[in-house]
Amino acid sequence: MASSSDTSSDTIFGRILRGEIPCQEVYADDLCLAFRDVNPQAPVHVLVIPREPIPQLGEATDEHRALLGHLLLVAAKVARLEGLESWRTVINSGAEAGQTVFHLHLHVIGGRPLAWPPG
């Protein structure tokens, strides 16, 4: 039986991380990869994904504390690299929250006024 980590590594993001599917890379380091969303919801829409396959934020543990902080810092770095002064960082956790790929990812969205609530 596959663990949830095995399942998330088999997602489209797992395939991108393995180089099986190309992406428009914005930033990469040993812990994560940031790339342009193929279905952007704003002029800037970048996804930041950890290299470790965590299915969703709700499954992160205390062991992931440093990684989660790193992902947020990278989201801010990506926003600055994209020339944004204001942006939204979104993490959907679970299907009812709108998560469609079950590999933890952060959306960095900006470049236009963003309404609230978002959905």
Side-chain angles (χ1 to χ4, degrees):
M1 182 171 166
S3 71
S4 59
S5 291
D6 291 339
T7 301
S8 66
S9 67
D10 286 340
T11 67
I12 190 168
F13 294 164
R15 295 182 67 201
I16 288 170
L17 287 168
R18 290 190 300 273
E20 297 169 6
I21 297 175
C23 70
Q24 291 184 338
E25 183 178 306
V26 173
Y27 175 86
D29 64 25
D30 59 333
L31 297 176
C32 66
L33 172 67
F35 55 92
R36 299 194 190 291
D37 194 304
V38 296
N39 185 25
Q41 302 301 304
V44 174
H45 190 165
V46 175
L47 302 176
V48 180
I49 65 172
R51 294 187 184 278
E52 179 178 345
I54 304 165
Q56 59 187 346
L57 184 58
E59 293 187 34
T61 67
D62 284 341
E63 294 175 11
H64 299 113
R65 182 182 319 261
L67 175 61
L68 296 174
H70 181 74
L71 294 174
L72 287 172
L73 291 172
V74 168
K77 181 175 192 164
V78 163
R80 288 189 300 274
L81 288 171
E82 293 294 305
L84 299 176
E85 293 183 16
S86 298
W87 67 89
R88 182 172 291 159
T89 303
V90 177
I91 302 172
N92 299 316
S93 187
E96 288 184 23
Q99 185 177 3
T100 57
V101 178
F102 286 86
H103 182 122
L104 176 65
H105 56 286
L106 291 71
H107 298 257
V108 178
I109 302 168
R112 68 167 173 81
L114 300 170
W116 193 264

